[in-house]
Amino acid sequence: MTGAAPIANPDALLELRAVSTDQGAGRAATFWRSGWRGADAHSTATPALDRVDLTLTAGEVVGLLGESTAGGAMVGRVAVGLVAPCAGERFYDGERITDLRSAAARRARLALQMLLADTPGTLDPRQRIVDVVGEAPVAQRLIGRRQQVEYVGLMLNRVGVDPLLMRHRPHEFSAGQRARIGIARAIAVRPRVLVANEFLAPLEITERAQVLNLLADLRLALELTCLVVSRDVATVRHAAQRTVVMYLGRVIERAGTAELLARPNHPYTKALLAHDGNVVPGRRVWATHIGEAPSPLHPPRGCHYHPRCPVALPRCREVAPALVTIAPGHDAACHLNDCA
């Protein structure tokens, strides 16, 4: 007799529940989608994500904050379906994604779109912008071939790029313009959820602020829900309503952004905020990290942060702390809360 099917959170537009992946999951995703399950396939694998829970309600912006090894980028890939989780469940609009079939699965794929950082492979250098932005809507039959030029012009105009430049190729644009073109490409298929995966990292400060403001305007105009993955505290402070802090594949703290910035609980969160880049005249505060970040291929036992934590307890070296509620809407995973 099989157990009852998991029930989705009725308030969530997108939900990840106890999601785990292994290192190299992106390369092995094809095997997992095709149903490959070796008996001991993951018995000795190192987890890239370790039972991550994440909920996005319609219209909100959630920030994922952490270093490059934290696992935020992998969460983004799992959220949009680029990587299949080894364990856990994904829900979209109240339905388990693996249960969707045919037209419903297609709608879910289009509804979940990712904004990638400006790397050489992000925009096809051989394509003109009219095809970069317009190819997917035509292929998905959202528009007809004859409507492509007009539709692409509307998308480019919406993100602040001159439509007259749609016959140009990506290398003819600045990094900021390419970021806007990436946004145009994503919204062209009429998504409901955008995942910005270190999207702003290559941009200069002024361009970063302009693109953040553009995303905020589009969120309101198009009723989008956003997940912003970033290592930059200022980006999360500016964009996110709720913030989730990750370290080596685990969620270690989550709260409303204002609450988290005002009253951080986990020592790692405090160290991140001490390095947030804000310049205060007459005051200079440095983080209390000890040593270098461990390799994600060989994470420490117990609390992953304990080798760098200045207030680590003996228990931290053996037992991973559970994520518990320490205040209304504020959860943290730290053994120091047991001593409070």
Side-chain angles (χ1 to χ4, degrees), residues 36-312:
W36 178 79
R37 297 290 191 278
D40 298 317
H42 298 282
S43 60
T44 60
T46 302
L49 298 180
D50 188 2
R51 299 185 60 82
V52 170
D53 294 319
L54 181 69
T55 301
L56 279 74
T57 58
E60 77 169 340
V61 181
V62 175
L64 269 182
L65 183 63
E67 296 168 294
S68 58
T69 56
M74 181 63 77
V75 171
R77 295 188 188 104
V78 171
V80 300
L82 292 179
V83 173
C86 302
E89 303 286 352
R90 295 168 61 227
F91 296 89
Y92 169 72
D93 205 13
E95 299 286 341
R96 186 163 55 175
I97 291 180
T98 53
D99 292 340
L100 299 178
R101 294 293 181 268
S102 188
R106 172 181 168 272
R107 287 194 296 270
R109 286 194 297 269
L110 289 177
L112 306 171
Q113 294 295 315
M114 178 174 282
L115 301 174
L116 297 169
D118 184 18
T119 60
T122 300
L123 302 177
D124 189 336
R126 299 167 297 179
Q127 284 189 316
R128 299 184 188 275
I129 299 306
V130 65
D131 295 318
V132 169
V133 176
E135 182 179 51
V138 172
Q140 297 296 333
R141 299 181 182 177
L142 300 177
I143 60 172
R145 175 68 67 179
R146 294 181 179 179
Q147 300 171 289
Q148 180 176 348
V149 171
E150 179 183 1
Y151 188 73
V152 170
L154 290 173
M155 293 298 104
L156 293 178
N157 189 61
R158 174 157 260 173
V159 299
V161 176
D162 188 347
L164 296 177
L165 302 177
M166 70 171 67
R167 300 292 179 184
H168 292 214
R169 290 188 168 85
H171 72 272
E172 300 178 76
F173 295 88
S174 68
Q177 288 174 314
R178 287 194 294 269
R180 293 171 182 269
I181 291 168
I183 295 172
R185 178 176 60 178
I187 66 173
V189 293
R190 303 167 190 170
R192 296 184 66 189
V193 178
L194 282 183
V195 177
N197 204 343
E198 290 290 354
F199 180 62
L200 303 173
L203 303 183
E204 296 180 359
I205 296 298
T206 54
E207 290 178 328
R208 191 177 301 179
Q210 292 169 3
V211 173
L212 274 176
N213 291 334
L214 171 63
L215 285 173
D217 293 340
L218 290 174
R219 181 180 69 86
L220 296 175
L222 303 178
E223 298 181 346
L224 296 170
T225 301
C226 298
L227 176 64
V228 179
V229 181
S230 180
R231 290 168 280 178
D232 181 36
V233 175
T235 296
V236 172
R237 177 191 289 113
H238 182 82
Q241 298 158 342
R242 286 194 299 120
T243 298
V244 177
V245 182
M246 294 188 64
Y247 186 77
L248 287 183
R250 292 176 180 170
V251 173
I252 61 169
E253 191 165 1
R254 62 191 178 199
T257 301
E259 164 72 13
L260 187 89
L261 297 178
R263 285 171 287 277
N265 177 267
H266 198 282
Y268 176 67
T269 307
K270 294 177 182 179
L272 280 180
L273 298 184
H275 266 152
D276 69 352
N278 280 346
V279 178
V280 179
R283 182 166 63 90
R284 197 174 188 182
V285 179
W286 295 97
T288 53
H289 285 309
I290 298 175
E292 298 182 0
S295 168
L297 296 175
H298 304 285
R301 292 183 57 188
C303 175
H304 288 343
Y305 187 60
H306 82 258
R308 307 170 70 191
C309 181
V311 289

Side-chain angles (χ1 to χ4, degrees), residues 251-252 266 315 319-326 331-335 337-338:
V251 173
I252 61 169
H266 198 282
R315 187 182 180 192
V319 181
L323 195 66
V324 297
T325 300
I326 59 172
D331 303 332
C334 183
H335 288 307
N337 294 320
D338 300 335

